[in-house]
Amino acid sequence: MDLSKIKVVIADDDVMKGADIRKALEYNGVRNIMTVRNQEKLWEQIYHGEDKTDLIVTDMQYPLEAGEAVDEEAGFKLIERMKKEKISIPIVVCSSLNYSIPDILGSVWYNELNDLDSGFKEALSRLEKNS
């Protein structure tokens, strides 16, 4: 799999964290990256985006719709809805809490002690193996 050709959508309302995730993905060869700040925009990309979404990187806490407060269950709601709708886009959770969630591609702990580049390298290698 050519990582430079996949489309990754980052769902996170934290601008700095989104930039850090983008840098880590680019370091690992991903070039087509879009960041959305709420789940409403994420669903627009999944259903109506110009390119097929190949991977979702999601935080666990962000607004569901523009102008709303942060939903502390947003990531879980995304995962559940994707299961319910049988949408098979791989998901990587990137959060300041270290999650272990079944049925997703992986989890990258967003922490100053953790190397994001290595965390995404591992997750992207699983994506390549599963494709």
Side-chain angles (χ1 to χ4, degrees):
M1 168 183 285
D2 184 352
L3 293 176
S4 68
K5 299 200 185 303
I6 68 169
K7 178 182 177 185
V8 177
V9 179
I10 302 168
D12 199 317
D13 63 328
D14 183 317
V15 174
M16 294 301 292
K17 183 175 160 198
D20 289 344
I21 293 169
R22 176 181 288 274
K23 285 182 206 170
L25 290 167
E26 288 173 344
Y27 177 84
N28 283 288
V30 178
R31 299 291 172 252
N32 187 2
I33 305 166
M34 169 178 271
T35 302
V36 295
R37 305 278 178 238
N38 60 64
Q39 222 171 86
E40 177 182 34
K41 293 292 184 191
L42 176 61
W43 288 112
E44 285 177 22
Q45 280 306 305
I46 291 171
Y47 290 123
H48 307 293
E50 291 179 26
D51 303 325
K52 173 181 86 78
T53 300
D54 298 297
L55 177 67
I56 296 169
V57 177
T58 185
D59 190 12
M60 296 303 280
Q61 302 177 0
Y62 56 95
L64 295 179
E65 294 184 22
E68 285 190 356
V70 169
D71 185 315
E72 294 187 6
E73 299 289 316
F76 291 113
K77 289 176 181 177
L78 169 68
I79 293 165
E80 191 58 38
R81 180 172 170 185
M82 289 185 68
K83 278 189 218 177
K84 182 188 274 186
E85 295 186 20
K86 295 181 174 44
I87 297 171
S88 60
I89 301 169
I91 298 172
V92 173
V93 168
C94 185
S95 177
S96 58
L97 298 174
N98 197 5
Y99 287 96
S100 177
I101 302 169
D103 302 325
I104 64 168
L105 183 65
S107 185
V108 176
W109 186 25
Y110 185 77
N111 180 293
E112 63 187 38
L113 302 175
N114 192 34
D115 179 6
L116 277 184
D117 295 341
S118 295
F120 278 102
K121 180 178 183 174
E122 185 179 319
L124 291 167
S125 71
R126 279 190 296 251
L127 178 66
E128 289 178 303
K129 287 177 189 172
N130 292 340
S131 65

